[in-house]
Amino acid sequence: MNVDTEKMIAEIDLMNNKKMYVVKDGQLIEHDLPDYGEVVITMISGKTAFIDTKVKRKV
């Protein structure tokens, strides 16, 4: 991920399925996704407030 803070532009790899990106207040927040599980995003007033990750194990 390349970020140009002067121009407020970010370059991300669209082929990486293991990452999720959230833009909040001009910042790019990178979040690693689990192999198995779920990710719940909680919004407050239209902005991301919490990212809850539940990891599961495949047996």
Side-chain angles (χ1 to χ4, degrees):
M1 170 175 70
N2 297 325
V3 178
D4 183 349
T5 55
E6 197 172 296
K7 293 182 180 180
M8 299 299 290
I9 295 174
E11 181 180 318
I12 60 173
D13 180 9
L14 296 178
M15 296 305 292
N16 188 350
N17 293 328
K18 296 282 186 176
K19 300 234 183 250
M20 178 181 71
Y21 299 93
V22 176
V23 178
K24 182 177 180 183
D25 297 328
Q27 293 185 351
L28 185 63
I29 301 164
E30 184 177 350
H31 183 75
D32 294 320
L33 297 174
D35 289 331
Y36 297 95
E38 61 185 77
V39 177
V40 177
I41 299 172
T42 304
M43 309 290 289
I44 297 177
S45 298
K47 292 184 179 182
T48 302
F50 302 100
I51 300 175
D52 183 31
T53 303
K54 295 180 184 178
V55 178
K56 297 181 181 186
R57 226 173 60 184
K58 184 177 179 181
V59 293

